[in-house]
Amino acid sequence: MQSQSDSQHTIQNLTNIVGKQHVLTDDADTRLYRQGRRYGAGQVLAVVVPGTLLEQWQVLKAAVDADCIVIMQAANTGLTGGSTPFGDDYDRPVVVMSTRRLAGIQVINDGKQVICLPGATLDRLEKELAQFNREPHSVIGSSCIGASVLGGVCNNSGGALVRRGPAYTELALYAQVNASGELELVNHLGVNLGTSPEEILTQLENKNYQLNDIINNSSCCASDKRYAHDVKQVDENSPARFNADPTRLFEASGSAGKVCVFAVRLDTFEKIPSQVFYVGTNSQDDLTEIRRFLLKDLPRLPIAGEYIHRVAYDIGAEYGKDTFVFIEKFGTAKVPAAFAMKDKVDGYLEKIGMKGLSDQLLQLVTKFMPNHLPKRMNEFRDLYEHHLVIRIENQDVAEVEAFLSNYFQDKTLGDFFHCTEEEGRKAFLHRFAVAGAAIRYRDTHRSEVEDIVALDIALRRNDREWVETLPKEMDDLIVHKLYYGHFLCHVFHQDYIVKKGVDPLAMEHQMWHLLDGRGAEYPAEHNVGHLYVAKPALKNHYQKLDPTNSFNVGIGHTSKLKHWE
């Protein structure tokens, strides 16, 4: 590790590049950056927030020259601690580089593609593309809490939109440390920008390139071109998508911070008029048959299909209510600032021994708010255990309605309704508010809850037994089980709120054993972070990208030592 004088020298070099206010070293200032939204935390030498791509390059050079570990961080919205340090057993000082100031978005090819800089958010991109009547890869879910575009690509994140699959591109501009320890800038963006790193980065940020500098090569993809085919193969005995799929790992795509990405180039998608159906049932077989019809027999793939179990519905309604109401009132763009403010308050309260007070107060306030969910949804909650929200392209609405009407002629086990625009919007927003609700439940029930075991799994496409049954000895250790997810993709999020005194890590390892027996892959879309073990294909991808182990070390339970020793 560096001596104190070496550390001060490194910090001074970083300060000379970006200015004192953008080099954070005090614990209170770095707290937001050095702990994960749900999991993971560690110490850092400094958090650096560059304001230009050239500064990002210069900071990276200074950190590499000082033999520091570099952790790239955009929005820090991940759930597995994948963009924060983890523990205190690093063999070199850790520098977190936050890219939140680098929020540039450049629309190219008449809106059919975009170039996004490291801090660009999905929310901002969605707004930029609205004038072209187009959309980014994801438009709800992670975008609600300020997730970055590059974070999605680097983690092969999936999402709610069935036709689009994992975030993926083969067109990126990134830096890596080669096997000789030298820092290199790799321009595979498909844009002629010059030769030296300084020229390339300055030209790009200033959008100082012409139409004929953009190379449109059909052999390089800017989105996942085969997912729409893969998801329809409902009789295949394998998952449709998962993070360690070697066919979806390419340079920046799936890199999980093992390179320093400066920009990615991505396809955009036509915005399609659609309508929403809400389905409730007490039989898993009903949803299986509906899924098979939607994926096999419908002329066009549905746009989205989200599952919520009754328990998740209830926990989300009560403990995700403030998130839901906040987004309704202020929009998604304000959510990151609200999280940052809450983090500062939580840090102060923790120091004075009042950890969790802000959550207790917020939860108290929500109790006095009127019910925020539509009446028909709440009626279905009372009647049915399993809920499915389906978004269908307008031209397929009549066929889907006819199928559901025929299927549920006998309404003993299930039923459906065709949502109004408001009901459809609120149904999807509620589904995504569920994701943070388990955290709020834990933080307001500290005396009876140890923690959350959060799994992110991909079941086999032909799996009809998708409702989990746990052994009684495990079930008895759990307060609540929250099941929700991207049903048509057979990707599920399973949050287990475990009783006080239970070892969450030991339980998680038991869960992995059960999942292996079911032929599931995990993680499906949140990536390994510091929670899961990187499988061989993923570990090989990391080692190829980062042979000296200089970036985001220890990810996926890999070595934290230089050169992977």
Side-chain angles (χ1 to χ4, degrees):
M1 296 294 287
Q2 288 183 341
S3 67
Q4 188 171 355
S5 61
D6 285 342
S7 295
Q8 289 305 316
H9 181 67
T10 301
I11 290 168
Q12 187 57 56
N13 285 344
L14 297 172
T15 302
N16 292 342
I17 297 167
V18 300
K20 189 173 182 180
Q21 72 182 106
H22 300 302
V23 179
L24 313 177
T25 55
D26 183 78
D27 278 358
D29 295 330
T30 62
R31 185 179 187 274
L32 179 66
Y33 303 89
R34 57 182 169 80
Q35 65 179 32
R37 178 66 55 86
R38 178 183 281 175
Y39 181 81
Q43 295 303 310
V44 297
L45 174 66
V47 174
V48 189
V49 193
T52 66
L53 293 183
L54 184 56
E55 284 185 359
Q56 182 179 335
W57 171 256
Q58 291 168 338
V59 166
L60 185 61
K61 281 182 67 178
V64 170
D65 288 346
D67 199 23
C68 291
I69 290 164
V70 178
I71 298 177
M72 300 302 300
Q73 185 182 104
N76 191 17
T77 59
L79 301 179
T80 59
S83 59
T84 59
F86 186 76
D88 55 5
D89 56 341
Y90 292 96
D91 64 344
R92 291 152 286 167
V94 176
V95 171
V96 170
M97 194 182 330
S98 168
T99 61
R100 61 181 175 79
R101 295 172 66 205
L102 304 172
I105 294 170
Q106 299 175 8
V107 181
I108 61 173
N109 292 340
D110 300 318
K112 291 177 182 174
Q113 288 190 325
V114 290
I115 293 172
C116 292
L117 303 193
T121 64
L122 286 166
D123 178 82
R124 170 81 186 279
L125 180 56
E126 189 178 346
K127 290 179 172 63
E128 289 281 332
L129 291 174
Q131 61 185 307
F132 297 93
N133 197 39
R134 297 186 75 82
E135 296 176 334
H137 168 267
S138 299
V139 295
I140 195 167
S142 298
S143 55
C144 289
I145 54 172
S148 70
V149 177
L150 265 70
V153 171
C154 292
N155 290 301
N156 279 142
S157 296
L161 300 174
V162 182
R163 303 176 181 187
R164 300 178 193 176
Y168 180 82
T169 187
E170 296 168 1
L171 300 167
L173 174 65
Y174 62 93
Q176 62 185 154
V177 177
N178 65 25
S180 303
E182 299 163 337
L183 186 65
E184 300 176 331
L185 186 69
V186 180
N187 182 10
H188 289 169
L189 198 60
V191 183
N192 293 319
L193 295 164
T195 51
S196 71
E198 293 77 10
E199 182 185 13
I200 291 168
L201 296 169
T202 303
Q203 297 280 70
L204 174 63
E205 186 154 24
N206 295 332
K207 204 178 179 183
N208 191 18
Y209 55 86
Q210 306 302 316
L211 192 61
N212 59 5
D213 290 318
I214 300 172
I215 303 162
N216 291 308
N217 184 347
S218 59
S219 66
C220 292
C221 299
S223 60
D224 189 332
K225 301 295 187 187
R226 63 186 175 85
Y227 186 72
H229 168 269
D230 290 355
V231 75
K232 288 194 286 188
Q233 310 310 306
V234 294
D235 293 311
E236 288 295 315
N237 195 37
S238 60
R241 59 178 168 93
F242 56 98
N243 287 134
D245 181 353
T247 66
R248 290 184 167 101
L249 300 174
F250 186 90
E251 297 182 349
S253 294
S255 62
K258 297 303 287 182
V259 292
C260 176
V261 184
F262 289 84
V264 294
R265 179 172 160 188
L266 295 163
D267 290 333
T268 67
F269 302 86
E270 183 184 357
K271 190 180 286 187
I272 298 171
S274 60
Q275 297 176 46
V276 175
F277 291 94
Y278 198 98
V279 177
T281 180
N282 291 313
S283 166
Q284 68 172 333
D285 294 338
D286 287 346
L287 294 194
T288 295
E289 292 309 315
I290 292 168
R291 173 176 174 266
R292 291 178 67 83
F293 162 76
L294 293 172
L295 295 179
K296 282 185 69 178
D297 302 329
L298 205 62
R300 286 154 289 273
L301 277 172
I303 292 169
E306 293 297 304
Y307 170 75
I308 316 174
H309 184 268
R310 179 188 274 153
V311 175
Y313 185 105
D314 290 346
I315 298 289
E318 185 171 354
Y319 295 92
K321 186 175 184 178
D322 57 330
T323 300
F324 183 106
V325 171
F326 185 91
I327 292 170
E328 281 274 283
K329 188 169 179 61
F330 300 107
T332 58
K334 301 289 184 185
V335 174
F339 271 114
M341 183 183 295
K342 182 179 180 297
D343 185 80
K344 284 190 177 295
V345 171
D346 287 344
Y348 173 75
L349 291 172
E350 200 170 317
K351 274 187 175 179
I352 61 174
M354 300 179 74
K355 183 177 180 179
L357 180 61
S358 67
D359 289 288
Q360 298 281 0
L361 290 173
L362 283 168
Q363 203 53 39
L364 183 64
V365 168
T366 61
K367 285 185 181 294
F368 296 98
M369 293 179 180
N371 195 308
H372 60 296
L373 296 177
K375 181 184 176 186
R376 289 201 287 181
M377 279 175 58
N378 286 329
E379 288 172 349
F380 266 45
R381 179 263 163 229
D382 295 338
L383 292 167
Y384 305 117
E385 180 183 0
H386 306 292
H387 298 239
L388 180 62
V389 192
I390 316 164
R391 185 174 293 281
I392 301 293
E393 189 171 334
N394 275 357
Q395 59 185 320
D396 296 323
V397 163
E399 187 171 347
V400 171
E401 187 149 24
F403 172 83
L404 293 173
S405 297
N406 183 61
Y407 190 88
F408 288 119
Q409 279 182 340
D410 176 4
K411 295 182 169 49
T412 3
L413 289 178
D415 200 359
F416 80 99
F417 63 86
H418 191 160
C419 295
T420 64
E421 187 176 338
E422 182 185 23
E423 285 173 331
R425 178 175 51 79
K426 288 189 172 184
F428 274 96
L429 182 51
H430 177 54
R431 152 62 187 91
F432 291 105
V434 167
I439 301 172
R440 170 62 57 75
Y441 186 97
R442 177 198 64 190
D443 293 343
T444 54
H445 293 77
R446 289 282 183 182
S447 62
E448 58 204 70
V449 169
E450 185 67 34
D451 209 340
I452 302 164
V453 173
L455 295 179
D456 161 34
I457 70 167
L459 296 182
R460 294 167 296 151
R461 283 168 281 182
N462 65 351
D463 196 341
R464 290 174 175 269
E465 302 296 322
W466 51 270
V467 175
E468 180 179 67
T469 304
L470 292 176
K472 187 178 185 305
E473 62 271 19
M474 292 178 71
D475 209 37
D476 289 344
L477 302 177
I478 298 170
V479 181
H480 290 298
K481 302 186 291 286
L482 280 67
Y483 298 116
Y484 55 98
H486 314 304
F487 186 68
L488 301 184
C489 306
H490 255 202
V491 167
F492 292 86
H493 304 297
Q494 302 183 171
D495 296 344
Y496 308 90
I497 302 173
V498 300
K499 293 178 180 177
K500 199 73 176 175
V502 175
D503 182 347
L505 194 57
M507 176 168 278
E508 181 162 359
H509 290 170
Q510 284 181 276
M511 297 283 188
W512 292 352
H513 181 69
L514 295 175
L515 290 170
D516 290 341
R518 297 174 66 190
E521 288 283 354
Y522 51 90
E525 62 182 12
H526 289 159
N527 220 330
V528 289
H530 290 284
L531 196 55
Y532 298 91
V533 176
K535 293 184 177 178
L538 200 55
K539 185 178 178 182
N540 290 341
H541 184 54
Y542 295 160
Q543 289 181 315
K544 183 180 176 183
L545 292 174
D546 185 19
T548 64
N549 206 17
S550 299
F551 294 95
N552 208 9
V553 309
I555 203 82
H557 292 250
T558 57
S559 170
K560 285 187 172 181
L561 302 178
K562 194 171 183 180
H563 297 291
W564 301 87
E565 293 174 358

